[in-house]
Amino acid sequence: MGSGKRGLLAAAVTVVCAVTVLAGAGTAFASVPSEPSAPPPASGSPSPTLPGSPAPSTTPTPAPDKDLQKIRKRLDRLYHEAAVATDAYNAAEEKAEKQSARVDDLNERIAEGRRKLKRLKDQAGAAARAQYRNGGLPPTARFLLSDDPQQFADSAATILNGERATRKLLTEMARTQKELQADSDDAAARMKKLEDDREDKAAAKKKIKKRIADAELVESGLEKKEKERLAELERQAAHAAQTAWVDTGVLDGISDKTSAEGRKAVAFATAQLGKPYVWGAEGPDSFDCSGLTSQAWAAAGRPIPRTSQEQWRRLPHVAVKDMRPGDLIIYFDDATHVAMYAGDGKIIHAPRPGRTVTVTGAGTMPILGVVRPNG
């Protein structure tokens, strides 16, 4: 064979070998001839890593924003339901405390009424016995048998006075018995109401714990990066809501001047910044939303209702354009959240479980209205 043909053949062999090597590269690099082949991986086991290939990622892909937005809305709903139950719990607790105090007062009145009735019965019995001893004979016979007509007349007058006193005692006894019965009936009705309030309180407590546990379960299923992104989405939503609220011009012309009581209330609320939210708490180490506002105004010398719903119902309403520091802003259609206006478009509030007393924009939540405790 000539040198030219030999060179062409050699080149062809080289190309064929190269193609063969490339086609079997996976098999060639995956096994070592001197060692037995490894068994195939079990179902669910990770595939072996090829030499020189990047290691498979062990970090789950974070949920996309649209999924995190759904989670955010679900958490908002769960915490709102917990807030509704918290208001119901606080209202039931307040009612139970009042009913319990009223029952205690009635029990004291009942005990005193029984003591009074016993005294009256003793007095009536003594008067009846005395009257019986002195009035056994008819008046004419006693007059004829008496050696001293004047003494008889005095005795007759005494008996008459005794009869009048006895009738008065009997009237007082009847009135005391009637009052005693009324107090007993009232106490029984209030005890029934007290038990109902305690049952309402227990049911609300159970619901609060369930909603918070559900929310915590949702949050515990998130990766660290997802939690960070979720927090960022919450901040973005709050910023957008505050910006939209301010852009309406609602703060134009609002004065940050307030009353002395309002300044005291704001100062109290400010001093609580950083303390944790705990449902049903009203200080000194933790607060819920209405616990913070009610205690702030109590510190200012103006006691107000305990719950946000009662604060909305019973306190004087003012227009948003007329609000001033110390006023309370009520949120959501069901009045289940309350915050203290601190001026400059900001509020101080206890947001929800897992958060602390903080300062944020007044327009970050849907406003129902504004009330003024010292209006």
Side-chain angles (χ1 to χ4, degrees):
M1 184 180 297
S3 59
K5 290 183 178 180
R6 283 196 301 272
L8 182 60
L9 179 60
V13 171
T14 301
V15 171
V16 171
C17 290
V19 171
T20 303
V21 170
L22 289 173
T27 304
F29 286 130
S31 60
V32 179
S34 60
E35 296 180 4
S37 300
S43 176
S45 300
S47 300
T49 303
L50 298 178
S53 301
S57 174
T58 58
T59 303
T61 303
D65 281 358
K66 66 177 182 179
D67 291 338
L68 289 176
Q69 289 287 18
K70 290 180 181 178
I71 291 173
R72 184 176 70 84
K73 290 179 180 179
R74 184 181 178 193
L75 288 172
D76 286 346
R77 177 178 58 79
L78 289 171
Y79 282 122
H80 180 77
E81 290 175 357
V84 172
T86 298
D87 224 40
Y89 174 90
N90 290 336
E93 182 177 45
E94 189 174 36
K95 288 179 182 178
E97 288 175 354
K98 289 180 179 178
Q99 292 291 356
S100 181
R102 181 60 179 150
V103 168
D104 289 344
D105 289 343
L106 284 169
N107 285 336
E108 289 181 9
R109 284 184 55 178
I110 289 169
E112 178 55 33
R114 286 172 177 164
R115 288 191 292 268
K116 180 180 179 181
L117 187 61
K118 183 178 184 304
R119 289 195 301 269
L120 289 172
K121 285 181 176 180
D122 290 344
Q123 292 173 18
R129 288 191 296 273
Q131 184 176 347
Y132 177 78
R133 286 193 302 269
N134 294 329
L137 293 173
T140 303
R142 282 188 283 117
F143 176 76
L144 293 173
L145 294 173
S146 175
D147 294 332
D148 185 349
Q150 183 60 46
Q151 182 182 10
F152 169 78
D154 292 343
S155 177
T158 300
I159 291 173
L160 181 60
N161 289 336
E163 289 175 347
R164 290 173 178 169
T166 300
R167 284 196 296 272
K168 183 178 180 181
L169 279 172
L170 292 175
T171 301
E172 181 69 9
M173 282 174 58
R175 186 176 66 82
T176 301
Q177 284 179 318
K178 186 176 181 180
E179 290 177 349
L180 187 59
Q181 186 62 51
D183 286 344
S184 297
D185 292 345
D186 192 5
R190 289 184 180 276
M191 276 301 298
K192 176 64 171 61
K193 187 66 172 66
L194 177 59
E195 290 304 314
D196 291 344
D197 291 336
R198 286 173 174 166
E199 289 178 5
D200 290 344
K201 181 178 170 182
K205 181 178 181 179
K206 183 178 180 180
K207 186 173 183 179
I208 294 166
K209 289 188 172 182
K210 179 66 168 61
R211 292 299 180 270
I212 293 176
D214 289 345
E216 289 175 345
L217 182 62
V218 171
E219 292 179 311
S220 68
L222 298 175
E223 298 293 328
K224 180 180 178 182
K225 288 185 177 181
E226 291 174 328
K227 291 179 180 179
E228 292 172 351
R229 181 56 183 161
L230 182 62
E232 179 59 27
L233 291 173
E234 290 177 351
R235 284 191 291 270
Q236 290 176 4
H239 177 74
Q242 175 71 1
T243 300
W245 183 68
V246 172
D247 286 348
T248 63
V250 67
L251 297 178
D252 294 349
I254 287 185
S255 173
D256 283 345
K257 292 182 180 179
T258 188
S259 65
E261 289 176 323
R263 284 193 294 274
K264 289 179 181 178
V266 172
F268 178 93
T270 302
Q272 314 314 313
L273 291 173
K275 292 185 178 180
Y277 176 105
V278 174
W279 61 267
E282 47 189 335
D285 299 322
S286 57
F287 296 88
D288 63 18
C289 67
S290 57
L292 176 65
T293 55
S294 60
Q295 288 302 303
W297 273 99
R302 185 66 66 104
I304 63 174
R306 169 66 176 88
T307 69
S308 58
Q309 292 177 336
E310 285 299 294
Q311 289 170 8
W312 173 244
R313 188 174 72 86
R314 293 166 53 186
L315 297 178
H317 292 201
V318 297
V320 174
K321 65 182 180 63
D322 296 325
M323 68 182 177
R324 65 192 189 192
D327 288 348
L328 306 181
I329 302 181
I330 310 295
Y331 292 94
F332 304 108
D333 290 342
D334 52 5
T336 50
H337 190 69
V338 61
M340 178 170 291
Y341 184 61
D344 195 29
K346 301 292 197 307
I347 56 170
I348 300 172
H349 73 145
R352 65 169 175 80
R355 303 289 172 83
T356 61
V357 177
T358 188
V359 176
T360 191
T364 56
M365 297 169 286
I367 295 175
L368 177 61
V370 180
V371 296
R372 180 166 294 162
N374 61 338

